[in-house]
Amino acid sequence: MNEKIEKIVIQCIKLEHTELTYMQVENVLKEIIGYNLGDNIEYYIDESGLDGRSVEFNLIDISNKEYIYEIIINKKKINDRLNDIITILDVNEYNHQKIKFIFELLYEVILACFEYNKSQNLLQIDSELIEKLNETYIEKYYAIEKTKEIMIKISTNIENDTNKILAYLEQLDVIYEMLLDYEGSKEVLKNKKDMTNMYEKFKKNNENIDEFLYRIGNIVGVKTSNIDNSRNGSESKAILQDLQLEELIDYIKQYAQISICDYNKDLKEIQNEAQKVYNKVEDEISSLLNCDNSCDKTPLFVENILSSKREDLINLEKIDPEQSVYDYLVENYPEVTNILSSKMDVLQFLDKIDNLPTDIEDYLKNEFLSEYKNFIEEIRNVGTLKQEELEKELNLFEEKYTYGIYYKYLNMTKKEKAEIATFADKEIKENLILFLNIKKELANISTTENIPYLYLFNYLSKREKNILSDNINIISILRSSLKDTSCINKYFNSYDVSKAFSLISNNEIEELYSMQKNIMGIFTKTSQFIQKLYNEDIIKCGMSILDILNFRDKDEIDNLFSMPKYINIVEILLGIGLYELYINRDIELNNFKRIYVNGCDESIETIIQIIKYNDLKYKLLEYNLKQKSALKNIKVKIPDILGINTVVRKIDDYNTKLLYINKDRKEIQERKLMAYKQREEMILNKINFVRQKNKI
Amino acid sequence: MEKIDCNKIQRILDIKNDFENETINSTIILPEYIECINTIYDTELKNQDEEINKIKLNIDKLYDNMQEIIDKLKNKEQ
């Protein structure tokens, strides 16, 4: 507030549009604030102001501020002031731009004054201003918008003073009429909250109820007369006065609904659409619940359906986004949510455990862990889960989460990754836990199918991992996979498997090493796979190798590099190197070496040679941008979690870098083009010369 | 279908021009404009590539042509 008092800055006055001189503007401002300010006003003309664009005014004398506000509030009426200003401007007829400019100044000052002194007189000034606006009928839309701003300020600051509320309602009357005239009832209804808020305040004082009813009735009456010709304003008033206060609010609400349907065709259509979707969801759920063996459908499945439908509904803007699917289920399908609620309770409680003393924590952990286990048991006891149903479920899960999680995760900093564990998107975590446990069921059917999903495991907090480890043994899955040669052939060439490897701990890796000496075999197969895919998706493959390299020793890496066609792998690493380097905004080769400290010198030198002879970095950058653009889309599709905004900011940095690169490329291309053209011309000249000379 | 804003396109082209002439730098260009300019660059580079390829082909033909002339001259001499 002090800042506001010290500096009422009125800016962006478009002098070129108002055709006012600086002197006129200064005079107008002085006129608004008071006659005797003298040197207390200072105005600045910034650089753009030199060519007549904008000017800033600043009240510089702090000691006079109270005086200034008193002048504005009490001494002069706005109407008088307007006339004075118009005289100063020497305007014989109303000029839209000039009047708009004056209002701009007036509103700025009034708003600043209001914050300084919440005087009731402001209501009066505001009211006069509104009347003036109505009278001049100039820039009405603008005036209404500004008036609304003032009204909002006033309504949020108004105290529980009956007279003030009544004064406010009186103005509402005027404004609503203006709005009705200008925008129709749709916009008016957006302000219906004003009335109900006022009513709540009014009820507390319990005074002048009749007056209140009269005002409200008047407002509603104006609107109802627009809806239904048979019911005019006075009838409405009579009706309202007969109503009980509680009924009045219902009436207003009911009116709002009718009005939306009747007065806005689009809204009506949306409502119908929404209703259809609602009905469809209802039918689907009912059919799920009433099918012969409801156990075939798990809660997650139902929840997923609801989630996807909910998105449709939200898109149609007819469902409250605050209402969670869970709430919806609880409200409508208690039988489905029995299981969910126990899960939610346990998880919520576990979240709080961090703050408890260790011994109590342990006790509770055990207590609730057992409850959690029961929940898992319940899921498992669903029993007749058919494989295809489960897979359908998994597909749903994948569609909804995997894509988003995967890309988000790739682009997060270490800090952000760490924060996920504590911050977390609960919905994702809960589903993940549920999902991984269901995967356990799948493990009995097809062990290797599990592996591609293991990277999701990294999304869980340590506590959650511990909980899960009782139910799902990742190592055992990996171990069984490694034992099975055909499985390795089939799956261990895949990126997902490598990713899964990168997410298990070093100890787990050691365990796998000791168990199985087939790691190099996996490398070989992975590298072949990478070479095959190299042209299709360089980053993806490169990341895969990088993941592996992260936990391999030097000998193994040397072996890897010594494989036939290793140059391709190096090239891929180069790609990843650039990828990482761009992220870190660090393109020095020394750092590049540092990142690949495990790589042998020869390989690094090869990398450096390659970078000089191809445009890999451009390809990479382009890929990088594509990947990040996908993130922008994700941002709107699933709830934002930490990191996305940072990444999106980075996109801008990358785009800027690309801009310079593109500029360089274009210049090089142009030179190339010129050189080719010259060559073409030279050859042509030569041919013509020979032809002429020899008469061919 | 989204309406094409000619003024906006012209503005982007002007900015691109200023950027190329180094009368402005990237710090004062709006991110969305930078994206647009990059897209324009993509198209330009692609077009340039096509043009270069065409000239290359033409040069090849001219070489063939020249070879023919040389052959004719040789025959004539004989």
Side-chain angles (χ1 to χ4, degrees), chain A residues 369-387:
Chain A
L369 200 59
S370 61
E371 191 179 331
Y372 184 77
K373 278 177 185 168
N374 288 340
F375 163 66
I376 299 300
E377 202 55 41
E378 279 184 73
I379 298 282
R380 199 171 286 144
N381 288 341
V382 170
T384 52
L385 285 172
K386 290 173 188 169
Q387 189 183 354

Side-chain angles (χ1 to χ4, degrees), chain A residues 471-637:
Chain A
N471 298 294
I472 184 165
N473 191 337
I474 288 160
I475 295 298
S476 71
I477 294 173
L478 278 175
R479 186 181 286 139
S480 59
S481 305
L482 283 170
K483 277 179 187 167
D484 182 350
T485 315
S486 65
C487 161
I488 290 171
N489 286 336
K490 192 173 173 189
Y491 295 104
F492 267 63
N493 291 334
S494 81
Y495 169 71
D496 288 331
V497 176
S498 306
K499 192 76 193 164
F501 262 100
S502 73
L503 295 174
I504 56 181
S505 70
N506 284 339
N507 289 341
E508 289 165 336
I509 297 286
E510 287 303 318
E511 193 182 335
L512 285 171
Y513 274 153
S514 60
M515 182 196 77
Q516 180 67 264
K517 294 292 179 190
N518 199 17
I519 299 295
M520 282 314 294
I522 296 167
F523 276 167
T524 311
K525 290 182 183 304
T526 309
S527 64
Q528 284 166 358
F529 175 73
I530 285 164
Q531 284 173 25
K532 196 171 72 184
L533 280 186
Y534 168 62
N535 290 326
E536 294 170 25
D537 200 341
I538 186 167
I539 296 286
K540 199 173 167 185
C541 303
M543 285 302 279
S544 175
I545 288 201
L546 193 68
D547 290 337
I548 296 169
L549 291 185
N550 278 340
F551 49 82
R552 304 300 171 218
D553 62 30
K554 192 173 179 303
D555 288 344
E556 286 173 333
I557 290 163
D558 285 347
N559 283 335
L560 186 66
F561 279 120
S562 65
M563 287 191 304
K565 295 181 184 175
Y566 76 95
I567 194 161
N568 277 348
I569 296 168
V570 174
E571 200 173 353
I572 292 163
L573 279 174
L574 164 70
I576 299 309
L578 282 175
Y579 177 82
E580 292 286 338
L581 291 167
Y582 269 111
I583 284 177
N584 297 323
R585 300 181 194 180
D586 184 355
I587 51 169
E588 290 171 24
L589 287 173
N590 284 338
N591 284 327
F592 181 69
K593 278 190 179 185
R594 185 172 51 78
I595 289 171
Y596 294 102
V597 70
N598 287 331
C600 61
D601 288 346
E602 192 190 345
S603 308
I604 299 294
E605 285 309 315
T606 315
I607 291 170
I608 296 166
Q609 289 305 312
I610 293 165
I611 194 172
K612 289 179 181 171
Y613 293 108
N614 65 26
D615 64 348
L616 188 62
K617 66 176 175 177
Y618 297 127
K619 281 184 193 165
L620 264 159
L621 200 54
E622 281 162 11
Y623 182 92
N624 206 2
L625 286 169
K626 272 184 202 167
Q627 199 178 45
K628 300 240 177 327
S629 298
L631 261 181
K632 276 188 173 174
N633 295 331
I634 293 168
K635 197 183 165 192
V636 294
K637 280 181 186 164

Side-chain angles (χ1 to χ4, degrees), chain A residues 213-419:
Chain A
L213 272 177
Y214 175 79
R215 288 291 165 199
I216 289 281
N218 205 24
I219 293 163
V220 180
V222 172
K223 289 182 291 183
T224 45
S225 64
N226 274 14
I227 298 170
D228 183 355
N229 291 331
S230 67
R231 186 188 293 172
N232 62 35
S234 59
E235 277 174 353
S236 300
K237 280 180 220 163
I239 291 167
L240 284 167
Q241 280 176 350
D242 288 334
L243 290 171
Q244 295 296 318
L245 286 177
E246 287 75 14
E247 286 173 342
L248 173 67
I249 299 303
D250 289 341
Y251 181 86
I252 293 169
K253 282 179 184 168
Q254 195 187 346
Y255 163 76
Q257 283 173 357
I258 295 165
S259 178
I260 286 170
C261 294
D262 287 358
Y263 274 83
N264 193 309
K265 205 178 174 186
D266 292 342
L267 270 179
K268 193 176 179 183
E269 281 169 9
I270 288 169
Q271 205 175 36
N272 289 338
E273 280 292 317
Q275 194 58 47
K276 277 182 201 167
V277 180
Y278 255 129
N279 293 340
K280 206 176 165 191
V281 176
E282 298 269 351
D283 291 346
E284 281 186 45
I285 295 168
S286 303
S287 66
L288 282 174
L289 294 175
N290 298 329
C291 64
D292 292 340
N293 185 0
S294 61
C295 291
D296 279 354
K297 316 286 180 181
T298 67
L300 178 65
F301 185 48
V302 177
E303 195 177 14
N304 271 327
I305 291 174
L306 278 171
S307 299
S308 59
K309 298 300 173 194
R310 231 178 81 79
E311 276 171 23
D312 293 340
L313 291 175
I314 290 168
N315 288 339
L316 289 168
E317 297 177 347
K318 288 305 293 176
I319 191 171
D320 181 11
E322 297 299 318
Q323 189 191 19
S324 70
V325 174
Y326 179 72
D327 291 342
Y328 182 83
L329 279 170
V330 170
E331 197 178 311
N332 298 288
Y333 303 96
E335 65 275 43
V336 175
T337 52
N338 282 340
I339 294 174
L340 284 179
S341 70
S342 64
K343 181 195 75 166
M344 299 277 281
D345 289 344
V346 174
L347 289 179
Q348 274 168 11
F349 199 90
L350 284 173
D351 270 344
K352 292 173 191 164
I353 285 178
D354 284 343
N355 301 323
L356 293 170
T358 321
D359 52 341
I360 300 177
E361 184 181 316
D362 288 340
Y363 167 75
L364 289 172
K365 240 182 205 174
N366 290 332
E367 278 293 301
F368 282 88
L369 200 59
S370 61
E371 191 179 331
Y372 184 77
K373 278 177 185 168
N374 288 340
F375 163 66
I376 299 300
E377 202 55 41
E378 279 184 73
I379 298 282
R380 199 171 286 144
N381 288 341
V382 170
T384 52
L385 285 172
K386 290 173 188 169
Q387 189 183 354
E388 59 181 51
E389 284 299 335
L390 268 173
E391 281 175 353
K392 203 189 283 178
E393 209 171 277
L394 292 174
N395 287 338
L396 276 172
F397 180 85
E398 270 190 293
E399 275 172 26
K400 197 175 165 196
Y401 294 110
T402 310
Y403 179 73
I405 291 172
Y406 166 64
Y407 278 103
K408 273 181 185 176
Y409 189 78
L410 274 188
N411 289 288
M412 279 175 188
T413 63
K414 275 187 179 175
K415 193 184 166 198
E416 286 165 345
K417 283 175 184 170
E419 281 186 43

Side-chain angles (χ1 to χ4, degrees), chain A residues 23-227:
Chain A
M23 194 58 77
Q24 281 177 312
V25 174
E26 188 182 3
N27 285 336
V28 169
L29 193 71
K30 280 181 181 175
E31 183 57 33
I32 293 168
I33 297 170
Y35 284 114
N36 303 317
L37 289 175
D39 294 333
N40 292 329
I41 296 177
E42 188 178 75
Y43 65 89
Y44 304 103
I45 303 170
D46 61 17
E47 270 186 30
S48 56
L50 291 174
D51 62 357
R53 282 176 188 276
S54 70
V55 61
E56 284 190 356
F57 289 86
N58 193 11
L59 300 181
I60 55 169
D61 188 340
I62 297 170
S63 62
N64 268 342
K65 286 197 175 67
E66 277 194 36
Y67 169 69
I68 293 166
Y69 293 119
E70 287 306 310
I71 290 174
I72 300 164
I73 294 161
N74 296 321
K75 286 200 173 178
K76 276 276 186 180
K77 298 272 183 173
I78 293 291
N79 281 349
D80 295 347
R81 203 142 295 294
L82 273 175
N83 291 333
D84 289 344
I85 292 165
I86 289 164
T87 312
I88 288 174
L89 292 174
D90 192 21
V91 184
N92 292 324
E93 55 182 30
Y94 283 165
N95 172 304
H96 281 217
Q97 288 298 337
K98 287 186 182 183
I99 299 294
K100 185 178 172 185
F101 158 73
I102 292 164
F103 280 130
E104 185 97 37
L105 291 181
L106 282 172
Y107 277 119
E108 291 287 347
V109 175
I110 286 174
L111 285 175
C113 287
F114 187 79
E115 285 188 21
Y116 174 72
N117 179 1
K118 295 169 188 171
S119 164
Q120 193 187 341
N121 289 338
L122 266 178
L123 295 174
Q124 194 188 344
I125 293 174
D126 183 45
S127 181
E128 286 170 3
L129 191 59
I130 290 164
E131 278 173 28
K132 190 74 190 170
L133 288 172
N134 218 9
E135 187 187 309
T136 56
Y137 214 79
I138 292 164
E139 294 287 345
K140 194 151 190 176
Y141 177 74
Y142 162 80
I144 289 170
E145 285 301 315
K146 282 289 175 189
T147 310
K148 274 197 226 165
E149 279 177 33
I150 291 180
M151 292 303 289
I152 289 164
K153 270 225 179 323
I154 292 173
S155 67
T156 50
N157 286 297
I158 205 162
E159 292 153 16
N160 288 332
D161 180 322
T162 312
N163 288 330
K164 284 184 185 175
I165 294 171
L166 285 174
Y168 176 78
L169 285 171
E170 197 171 346
Q171 286 177 73
L172 266 184
D173 233 351
V174 179
I175 289 175
Y176 281 163
E177 277 193 58
M178 285 166 66
L179 290 173
L180 272 173
D181 187 27
Y182 186 78
E183 292 171 312
S185 60
K186 186 183 152 197
E187 285 302 312
V188 175
L189 287 167
K190 283 185 184 168
N191 294 318
K192 70 178 190 296
K193 273 189 182 171
D194 293 343
M195 284 190 281
T196 43
N197 288 341
M198 283 301 110
Y199 168 72
E200 289 302 326
K201 285 180 179 176
F202 206 89
K203 207 164 68 171
K204 282 180 191 166
N205 292 329
N206 204 22
E207 292 171 6
N208 293 329
I209 296 290
D210 289 345
E211 178 70 13
F212 174 80
L213 272 177
Y214 175 79
R215 288 291 165 199
I216 289 281
N218 205 24
I219 293 163
V220 180
V222 172
K223 289 182 291 183
T224 45
S225 64
N226 274 14
I227 298 170

Side-chain angles (χ1 to χ4, degrees), chain A residues 622 629 632 651-652 655-656 658-660 662-663 665-667 669-670 672-673 676-677 679-680 683-684 686-687 690-691 694-696, chain B residues 16 19-20 22 25-26 29 31 34-35 37-38 41-42 44-45 48-49 51-52 55-56 58-59 62-63 65-66 69 72-73 76:
Chain A
E622 281 162 11
S629 298
K632 276 188 173 174
I651 295 173
D652 294 338
N655 277 330
T656 309
L658 188 64
L659 186 70
Y660 282 101
N662 274 336
K663 189 185 160 199
R665 288 171 82 183
K666 197 188 161 192
E667 278 174 17
Q669 288 266 74
E670 276 171 353
K672 222 182 207 179
L673 188 64
Y676 274 116
K677 276 183 179 169
R679 198 169 167 192
E680 186 187 26
I683 298 168
L684 197 62
K686 215 176 241 180
I687 291 174
V690 174
R691 272 183 173 156
N694 296 288
K695 294 176 182 173
I696 296 171
Chain B
K16 178 172 168 284
F19 174 72
E20 282 176 5
E22 293 179 359
N25 63 44
S26 62
I29 307 177
I34 288 180
E35 273 192 70
I37 294 171
N38 277 330
Y41 270 131
D42 276 349
E44 283 181 350
L45 286 167
Q48 276 179 338
D49 262 346
E51 203 176 340
I52 287 173
I55 295 175
K56 275 184 184 174
N58 211 16
I59 287 174
L62 285 174
Y63 273 126
N65 216 335
M66 195 179 256
I69 293 171
K72 276 183 186 176
L73 284 173
K76 212 175 178 185

